[in-house]
Amino acid sequence: MASSHTVSQGECMRTIARRHGFSDAMAIWNHPNNEGLRNRRKSPHVLAPGDVVYIPDAKKKVVECATGKSHKFRVRLAKRDVHVVFVDADGQPLANSPYVLRVGNIERKGQTGADGAIHEKGFHPREERAELELTELGITRTLLIGHLNPHHEESGWRQRLANLGYEANESGLADFARDHDFPEDTEAEALRNALHEHSHSPSPR
């Protein structure tokens, strides 16, 4: 039966889909009744607490099989991904830096890309915390998976300032503007949009 879901902190469309029995989060996100939400949020991975998501009826799949035998069925379930970019205090990527990422009981090792990025996929939707260590640099960060709010929300731009090593307030926003050579009369909306472009880079400032 169709229903609605009110988003809590840390939820994204994949976790909501899993909770309501959908293997494909896009079946919910792309539903016509969620057009208003799509227009506001743009990305199914960045929702705000209090957003209301329409949950359509799940389509049932019927499979015929012989009786008196054992059968295996494989179900595809929505997973969570971790995407983060590291830059230094000058905004330069921390490229080719060895890392260890720990999510629940899963440990992944690798190197940051040329752009300082880390992309790891396939974690359980219930996982909300990760420990990320840049081993050669001695840098360790705790990541809250799915907790980044939309950048137009006050909580969202404050989170992005903190991720970049600034104070999460108007003073920090002014520091960000000066560091990136924005004119003094730059509107706050333009600065928030610029923060969004830089926001996936937890900097070791």
Side-chain angles (χ1 to χ4, degrees):
M1 183 176 181
S3 61
S4 63
H5 178 96
T6 301
V7 177
S8 298
Q9 184 67 54
E11 288 188 314
C12 67
M13 199 56 64
R14 286 184 179 179
T15 61
I16 294 169
R18 178 88 176 230
R19 178 172 180 175
H20 290 275
F22 285 77
S23 61
D24 181 10
M26 294 299 99
I28 300 176
W29 177 250
N30 290 325
H31 193 279
N33 287 9
N34 286 319
E35 181 179 3
L37 179 65
R38 293 195 301 274
N39 290 337
R40 288 197 311 276
R41 298 309 180 206
K42 309 304 181 185
S43 170
H45 307 302
V46 186
L47 304 177
D51 283 346
V52 177
V53 181
Y54 175 80
I55 309 295
D57 291 329
K59 294 182 179 179
K60 295 182 179 180
K61 183 175 182 179
V62 178
V63 179
E64 295 184 359
C65 56
T67 60
K69 296 182 178 180
S70 297
H71 303 275
K72 291 184 179 180
F73 298 92
R74 181 173 295 178
V75 179
R76 183 188 305 166
L77 298 175
K79 300 287 187 178
R80 277 198 136 161
D81 301 338
V82 173
H83 167 58
V84 64
V85 180
F86 277 88
V87 299
D88 62 21
D90 296 321
Q92 299 302 308
L94 295 178
N96 305 315
S97 182
Y99 68 82
V100 178
L101 177 68
R102 301 178 182 89
V103 182
N105 60 359
I106 297 175
E107 181 176 285
R108 304 268 180 88
K109 297 181 179 180
Q111 287 190 336
T112 59
D115 57 353
I118 294 171
H119 303 274
E120 294 287 356
K121 299 181 178 182
F123 301 106
H124 196 285
R126 286 199 297 266
E127 298 291 354
E128 294 189 5
R129 297 177 68 90
E131 294 293 329
L132 180 58
E133 179 184 0
L134 299 182
T135 53
E136 289 187 353
L137 298 176
I139 296 171
T140 301
R141 293 288 185 270
T142 297
L143 309 178
L144 298 178
I145 306 172
H147 281 245
L148 191 64
N149 293 339
H151 69 284
H152 290 296
E153 302 286 334
E154 181 176 352
S155 59
W157 63 258
R158 289 179 183 273
Q159 288 174 325
R160 287 163 172 80
L161 281 173
N163 278 0
L164 291 170
Y166 294 96
E167 293 185 22
N169 52 33
E170 296 290 345
S171 176
L173 189 61
D175 289 339
F176 170 82
R178 283 192 295 271
D179 287 349
H180 292 82
D181 299 321
F182 284 94
E184 292 186 3
D185 60 350
T186 301
E187 295 184 356
E189 180 70 12
L191 291 177
R192 288 193 288 268
N193 288 336
L195 264 176
H196 179 59
E197 298 301 320
H198 290 80
S199 63
H200 304 293
S201 310
S203 170
R205 282 170 60 95

